[in-house]
């Protein structure tokens, strides 16, 4: 019989870009453009899964495939149309982790893929996007306290109803706190009218104490053109805050 197919795409296992559902067809043609974040272009993969939608129960897997993105990222700077990869990929029902891949026999999916690195975007590109992907990375906190007492901190980042939280980091209040693990947070399909809020808490036995907060307008991020100390050039859409004082904080600064 015919299916009600749709496709899901992910590059990190967390965010899923999903196509629309096409009704009663065995040969779907979506003709859609979807966007995913690629932060490790040399070794990141894209997982593609095609399902048969069922309103009464869980969707049935039609097939899946794993795409090595370096094939696409390697041709970013080639002239058009060589900077696009268009081909068919076999779908199978094996797991993404299978050594032999997902297999074949469950149909094929044709896609046109292209890649743009962060530094390829102009200020006009980022300023004119009504929605986009916002990445917040917390690096350090300074001057959390004038005292040298031991403290355990964590960061909470909010945007468009979604909340992400870092792991704990510990140290003395008058020293620098480094956020080394789970300190990067991604938010997808964010409108330029949104606000990103960063809250810094101290872990306590009777509850967590808010040490300070920071609000950032997505519109300000989109129109920024900053350079981080480890970068050679400025990057459109990058807002770098170098020891920015938190609101309601007694000298606490965030990078």
């Amino acid at each position: 019989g015919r299916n009600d197919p749709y496709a899901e795409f992910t590059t990190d296992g967390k965010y899923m870009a999903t196509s629309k559902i096409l009704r009663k067809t065995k040969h779907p043609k979506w003709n859609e453009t979807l966007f995913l974040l690629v932060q490790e272009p040399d070794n990141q993969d894209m997982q593609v899964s095609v399902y048969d939608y069922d309103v009464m129960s869980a969707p049935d897997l039609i097939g899946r495939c794993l795409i090595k993105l370096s094939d696409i990222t390697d041709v970013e700077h080639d002239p058009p149309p060589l900077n696009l990869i268009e081909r068919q990929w076999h779908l199978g029902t094996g797991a993404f982790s299978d050594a032999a891949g997902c297999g074949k026999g469950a149909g094929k999916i044709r896609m046109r893929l292209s890649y743009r690195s962060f530094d390829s975007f102009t200020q006009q590109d980022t300023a004119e996007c009504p929605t986009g992907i916002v990445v917040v990375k917390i690096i350090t906190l300074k001057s959390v306290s004038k005292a040298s007492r031991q403290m355990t901190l964590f960061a909470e980042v909010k945007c468009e109803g979604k909340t992400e939280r870092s792991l704990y980091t510990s140290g003395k209040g008058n020293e620098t706190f480094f956020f080394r693990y789970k300190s990067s947070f991604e938010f997808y399909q964010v409108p330029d009218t949104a606000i990103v809020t960063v809250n810094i808490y101290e872990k306590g036995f009777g509850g967590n104490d808010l040490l300070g907060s920071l609000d950032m307008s997505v519109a300000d991020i989109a129109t920024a053109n900053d350079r981080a100390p480890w970068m050679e050039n400025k990057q459109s859409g990058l807002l770098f805050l170098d020891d920015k004082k938190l609101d309601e904080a007694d000298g606490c600064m965030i990078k």
Side-chain angles (χ1 to χ4, degrees):
R2 296 182 177 182
N3 300 317
D4 297 328
Y6 69 95
E8 289 184 344
F9 308 84
T10 183
T11 54
D12 60 9
K14 296 184 295 183
Y15 173 73
M16 292 285 179
T18 305
S19 76
K20 58 190 175 185
I21 301 169
L22 299 183
R23 301 292 183 179
K24 301 186 183 303
T25 178
K26 297 192 73 173
H27 304 285
K29 294 182 180 180
W30 285 285
N31 291 322
E32 289 185 69
T33 300
L34 303 172
F35 297 91
L36 290 163
L37 182 63
V38 178
Q39 299 198 73
E40 299 180 28
D42 292 333
N43 55 29
Q44 205 164 346
D45 298 322
M46 179 170 69
Q47 298 177 356
V48 182
S49 302
V50 181
Y51 294 95
D52 179 17
Y53 176 77
D54 192 328
V55 69
M56 300 298 292
S57 61
D60 297 317
L61 176 68
I62 294 174
R64 56 169 69 100
C65 64
L66 187 67
I67 299 173
K68 188 176 181 180
L69 291 179
S70 60
D71 294 341
I72 295 95
T73 62
D74 285 347
V75 299
E76 178 193 6
H77 299 294
D78 289 356
L82 299 178
N83 60 343
L84 299 173
I85 298 290
E86 182 172 352
R87 68 175 68 149
Q88 290 188 130
W89 282 267
H90 288 278
L91 298 175
T93 55
F96 291 119
S97 58
D98 288 352
C102 300
K104 301 179 180 180
K108 298 178 182 178
I109 185 169
R110 175 175 288 277
M111 293 179 287
R112 183 186 295 119
L113 305 177
S114 65
Y115 167 77
R116 287 188 66 181
S117 55
F118 287 131
D119 56 11
S120 72
F121 287 91
T122 66
Q123 280 188 281
Q124 184 175 357
D125 288 335
T126 55
E128 292 181 350
C129 287
T131 62
I133 301 170
V134 176
V135 181
V136 179
K137 183 171 180 61
I138 300 174
I139 304 171
T140 62
L141 281 172
K142 292 181 180 179
S143 304
V144 175
S145 172
K146 294 179 181 179
S148 60
R149 66 183 179 88
Q150 193 74 11
M151 303 176 72
T152 298
L153 311 180
F154 67 92
E156 179 187 78
V157 184
K158 296 182 176 182
C159 183
E160 287 294 284
K162 180 182 177 183
T163 301
E164 295 279 1
R165 183 173 146 170
S166 74
L167 298 179
Y168 294 118
T169 181
S170 298
K172 294 182 178 179
N174 59 352
E175 297 178 348
T176 299
F177 288 78
F178 293 90
F179 285 79
R180 294 187 175 90
Y181 308 106
K182 202 180 184 297
S183 60
S184 183
F185 312 96
E186 297 92 31
F187 301 90
Y188 294 82
Q189 296 179 332
V190 179
D192 59 6
T193 56
I195 299 294
V196 177
T197 299
V198 179
N199 295 319
I200 302 298
Y201 290 93
E202 180 183 7
K203 180 184 177 184
F205 293 106
N208 301 316
D209 295 325
L210 178 64
L211 300 181
S213 61
L214 178 67
D215 288 336
M216 295 172 286
S217 162
V218 171
D220 289 342
I221 297 172
T223 55
N225 187 38
D226 288 348
R227 182 184 69 83
W230 56 86
M231 298 170 59
E232 292 185 5
N233 302 307
K234 290 184 177 181
Q235 183 174 295
S236 297
L238 173 65
L239 179 64
F240 181 71
L241 303 178
D242 192 1
D243 294 340
K244 172 76 173 178
K245 187 177 182 300
L246 297 178
D247 295 334
E248 304 174 9
D250 185 17
C252 183
M253 297 181 293
I254 191 169
K255 180 180 292 186

